[in-house]
Structure formats: C-alpha cells, structure tokens
Amino acid sequence: MYTAQGKIDQQALLEEHLPAVRRQALALQVKLPASIELDDLIQAGTVGLLDALRRYDPNAGASFSTFASQRIRGAMIDELRSRDWLPRSVRRHARELDRCVHRLEQRLGRAPQEREVAAEMGMSLEEYRQLLSDTNSGLLLPFEDIVAEQGEPDAGGNGPPDPFSALVDGQQRDRLIAAIEALPDREKLLIGLYYQEGLNLKEIGAVLGVTESRVCQLHSQAVSRLRGRLA
C-alpha cells in the first residue's frame, strides 16, 4: 500500500484493516460477560489500529498486518481491564482459591479434586462451583495475565530485547509449560482448545461433553492451578 511517492498510504491501510477490527472484537466477545458490548470493543480496536498506523515503521521488518493485529488486540484488552467489572468479594475469594489450591497441591503432591478444594475452603461442592462460575465471569484472558507480556513485533525500530529479558521470558515460558503439563487431562485439553485452537466455551463443551457453564467452572479451576504454581 504505497502512494506514487513511495510512501505508505495510511488511508488505504485503515480501510483494508477495519474488517479485522470487527473480527477480533467478535472473537474476543464470546469469551466475555454478556454485559460487554461489541461496539465498545470495535471502538477500542479502531483506536489501536490508528495507533498502529502512527507507529509502524516499514523498515523494521514486521508486516503491518502482524503489527496492527497486536495493537488492535492490545487496545481491546486495555479497555476491558480498565472496567474492572469483577466485584471485590469475588476477587478476594479468587485469591483465596489460588492459595488454597496451591496449599493442597503442596500437601497432596498432586492436583486436588474439586471436593477437596471445596472442603479446604469450607464450602459445599455447589458453593465452590458457583465461585468458579463467578470468578470466570471476570477473568480477562487470564492465560495472558499469568506470564509477563511477551512484547510485540518490533515495527518501531526499538531493536531486539536485551539478553536478560530474553532469558527471563524463556524461563517463564518453561515454567508455564510445566504447569500446564501438570494439569488434570481434561483441564489441559480445555486450555489447549481455548487458547491454542481458539474455540469458544460452547464449542469446548461439545468436545468435552459438558455444559457451557461447566466449561466456565473448569476453566476457572485450571487458571487457579496455573496461578498457584507460578506464584
């Protein structure tokens, strides 16, 4: 997309990538509470696209599509995080859940079962599963929150990351991989379907043979296990 003078035609790039904003917004919306409006995600993503147009350096090596995709998604996530819709009480219980799961894993030497976690927290199994459902409604791409930001394609001419940062990132990835491998098989499969294959909760439920609400509960439990191992 260049003008006759050999410069990038920003208007053409903007028009070409606006449909990508909507696609990313739709993909993200299925993972979020029903209260999140699609138009709000699209608006935030458009801001990210405009930011990408301002910052993109064609001489840095990364394609504009790759660079813009990162900016669009990042702007949507920033918008969602700024809303902080999860009630404090649920957030507090989520932290207690993380500590409880970690404590049980240390004591048992294995991933604790739901009934064991519920008993440790002084809850019935039904109360525990309700907590998982409530917590999942406020989880914003927790898999991406667990590890440090990996950065984005360097299209701004800032150069490669320093060796220390690269080492830390590599160690964190290794820890995360080990934590995922330690998950119960069904939760490990869920994580793969959700974050690698991009399936939504309804599609994952069909694969696992459970309801969509049950997928939410298992997702929360898996994330809690990962946070506990990586804390």
Side-chain angles (χ1 to χ4, degrees):
M1 290 289 181
Y2 290 90
T3 64
Q5 291 74 35
K7 297 181 179 180
I8 290 181
D9 187 338
Q10 292 192 342
Q11 183 62 35
L13 279 176
L14 177 63
E15 293 175 359
E16 179 184 352
H17 289 85
L18 277 175
V21 174
R22 181 176 178 83
R23 287 195 299 272
Q24 289 207 43
L26 287 168
L28 188 55
Q29 187 188 36
V30 299
K31 302 180 180 181
L32 299 168
S35 59
I36 304 302
E37 297 287 342
L38 178 64
D39 286 346
D40 292 341
L41 293 176
I42 291 175
Q43 183 176 3
T46 302
V47 172
L49 176 57
L50 291 171
D51 183 54
L53 285 170
R54 287 193 296 268
R55 299 186 56 173
Y56 180 62
D57 179 1
N59 298 316
S63 70
F64 179 78
S65 294
T66 301
F67 183 66
S69 178
Q70 293 279 350
R71 289 284 166 184
I72 292 167
R73 186 176 182 83
M76 291 180 186
I77 292 173
D78 286 345
E79 169 65 19
L80 290 167
R81 284 175 178 155
S82 70
R83 299 189 177 204
D84 193 27
W85 62 73
L86 195 61
R88 289 185 179 180
S89 59
V90 176
R91 202 176 293 278
R92 182 177 66 253
H93 284 310
R95 289 194 295 266
E96 293 173 0
L97 173 60
D98 292 348
R99 292 192 291 266
C100 178
V101 170
H102 182 65
R103 187 166 61 247
L104 282 173
E105 288 190 343
Q106 294 293 311
R107 185 191 310 163
L108 301 173
R110 58 171 172 78
Q113 299 177 0
E114 284 183 307
R115 292 185 182 276
E116 293 170 328
V117 180
E120 182 76 8
M121 296 189 71
M123 296 179 171
S124 67
L125 183 58
E126 290 72 21
E127 290 171 331
Y128 172 65
R129 287 182 172 176
Q130 184 59 53
L131 171 62
L132 291 176
S133 296
D134 292 342
T135 303
N136 194 78
S137 293
L139 288 174
L140 174 59
L141 307 176
F143 184 76
E144 298 176 21
D145 290 337
I146 289 170
V147 293
E149 293 288 344
Q150 296 300 315
E152 60 192 8
D154 184 15
N158 296 322
D162 62 88
F164 177 75
S165 297
L167 175 63
V168 171
D169 287 346
Q171 291 173 338
Q172 191 77 324
R173 282 195 297 271
D174 290 343
R175 292 180 63 218
L176 178 59
I177 291 171
I180 292 173
E181 287 299 318
L183 289 173
D185 289 341
R186 186 159 63 165
E187 293 176 23
K188 188 191 308 182
L189 175 60
L190 188 157
I191 291 294
L193 293 174
Y194 189 66
Y195 294 104
Q196 290 182 298
E197 302 300 327
L199 271 63
N200 60 38
L201 301 183
K202 184 177 182 179
E203 292 168 334
I204 294 172
V207 173
L208 299 182
V210 299
T211 64
E212 187 173 343
S213 62
R214 183 62 179 146
V215 174
C216 288
Q217 295 167 358
L218 292 171
H219 175 258
S220 290
Q221 189 164 254
V223 170
S224 185
R225 295 188 201 275
L226 293 174
R227 281 199 299 243
R229 286 180 173 271
L230 295 175

